[in-house]
Amino acid sequence: MSVYVMEQETVVDARPTTMSGADVLAALLEDAGITVVAGIPGHTIGDFALAVGAREGLRPILLRHEATGAFAADVYFRVSGRLMAVFTHAFPGAANALTGVANAYADFSSLFWVTGNTASVGIGRGGYQELSRQIDDDLTQVIRPAVKRVWQPRTAEDLAHNALAALRESRAGRPGPVALNVSQEVWSQTVDVTGGARPDLERFVFADDRPRPDSRRVADAAELLRGARRPAILAGNGVNLGRARDHLRAFSRRFGIPVATTASGKGGFPESDALSVGVAGWVGTGTGNFTTANADVLLVLGARLGEPTASSWVDGATFGSDTKIVQFDIDAGAIANAYPVEVPVIGHLVSALEDLTAVLGDERLDVSAWLEEIQSAREAWTSVALESQDPGMDGRIGTGAVVQAMRRAFSGPVNLVNDCGKHHKWIVQQFEAGDDDYIVSSMGGASMGIGLAGAIGAQLGRPEARTIAWLGDGGMSMSLSALPTVAEYRLPITTVVIDDASYGVVHNTQMAQAGRTAFADFDGSGSNPDYRLDFRAVAEGCGIPARTVSDPSELDAAFAWAAEQEGPTLITVLSEKGSTHPGGGGVLRPLHDRSRRLAWRAVSGE
């Protein structure tokens, strides 16, 4: 009798036992749901760039200037709520990105920034492209004021741990950009990953939590609302960043409370809704400022009430001294920065609106007389706005007419990224935000250059919407390095340039103050009065179809042409240099000192 002994097959674990620091970070970003990584490599960051390029779940975007990536990542987060990663090389690349990163920080947007730094052995010894004149490794000190937090991993294992902390911090509380400043040698160091071990993402990163507010504060807010006769809501960009738009709409409609937005909060509530009063603040509408200035109880949702929103804190312009403010924010540091508040409500806006709705239940507020007052203000403002939309004449087209033609052509949904300048105010006031529009305005940093670069991020983050970059010729001149990226990746972005051959705000301000200009007009300081940069030629040189509109009767046809294109387009509109948006009751007086008195309370007699 024969006996057969089966030899047991040996199973070999083919998984790697080590990973480089570069591969660890790339894998961790992919596990965290990041899908887009943009940057320009150099020797301090090259290993990480190769690691990103090897991962199928990460889309690499090669830039022509680092600021493009920072602005793009900022707006990517605003429209999608997801992080985009950017990387830079040594201090020259980091310095190029710094304005865009600081802009995100000022506006409480977020991004994941990886800076490659000189190898440790070269720090303080004249290492190539190091920054160590004041103290060794001063790059971190350059980065620090522009981010929520910066880490300096010294080993590959540090890199993994710091990346987990950065992912958590980037969206916890008020969002903000985070940075890893990584010495070159860390990328090639190895980490033990025997058995497929990976960084423990789920138990370290929990930034999606929505902390609930104190129930006593919610009850106090409800009690104030019950007694209000002229209640109103002011929705800031926290509504957009907190993804609380649907909750705001449901709350407003259920209780019949009118809604104004800040400039950066525009889009958080549809302006076609009967309860919308438009934007309040310095560049707000007459309806919006009337409503917030005359409200007896004002619910402030995710807004700091800073200078642009509060009209330099001038009494009666945007806010009245008799208004009782209930301020909602996820961060206590954002509440009562200038104005005293009756009730502070600290928590996530989604949770806060859910809780306030539950406390109010089926109650209805008696606001019919108040809504009639608002309607009268609305009719007066509509008349003013219509008068400002005159089409102008050949070569001097009115910006109000451009805004309306663009809205007709792009019915929505849209991502509209609004660069800083004179043209910006027209969008804030007069572009009607629809149900699913994101209208991005930078009001914290207010950096010129965000318009086109930010539109890249908007298109990557929310490709289902049509993306528009809205710039003046000054901002467009600062953004020319973004055009090849738009063309190279065939991003369907419509770029609109309002060209008045000047820094228009500077020109108009100086003419009003002094009757002359300096450092305002693009005319060679008077030596070349006929000079005008041909943006159409620049765009076509990059491979982008473009048109220049000088006749206002051609506006509708130009925008219809752009709306039909599948790829990128650029439209330059020759604009009236002296035009200004109509006043909606808001003001900006930077030297006004009322803000210093807001903390003082009059003491009544016995």
Side-chain angles (χ1 to χ4, degrees), residues 420-456:
C420 186
K422 183 177 71 176
H423 58 286
H424 167 272
K425 301 167 182 60
W426 291 91
I427 292 293
V428 171
Q429 272 196 346
Q430 300 191 25
F431 186 88
E432 185 178 272
D435 280 333
D436 198 25
D437 292 344
Y438 273 83
I439 315 298
V440 176
S441 289
S442 172
M443 299 303 292
S447 300
M448 295 178 71
I450 194 175
L452 182 55
I456 292 174

Side-chain angles (χ1 to χ4, degrees), residues 458-473:
Q459 202 285 322
L460 294 171
R462 207 170 76 114
E464 66 275 14
R466 189 60 181 253
T467 298
I468 303 168
W470 174 265
L471 308 92
D473 51 324

Side-chain angles (χ1 to χ4, degrees), residues 286-303:
T287 319
N289 281 318
F290 171 84
T291 302
T292 55
N294 289 279
D296 57 359
V297 174
L298 183 65
L299 304 186
V300 178
L301 307 181

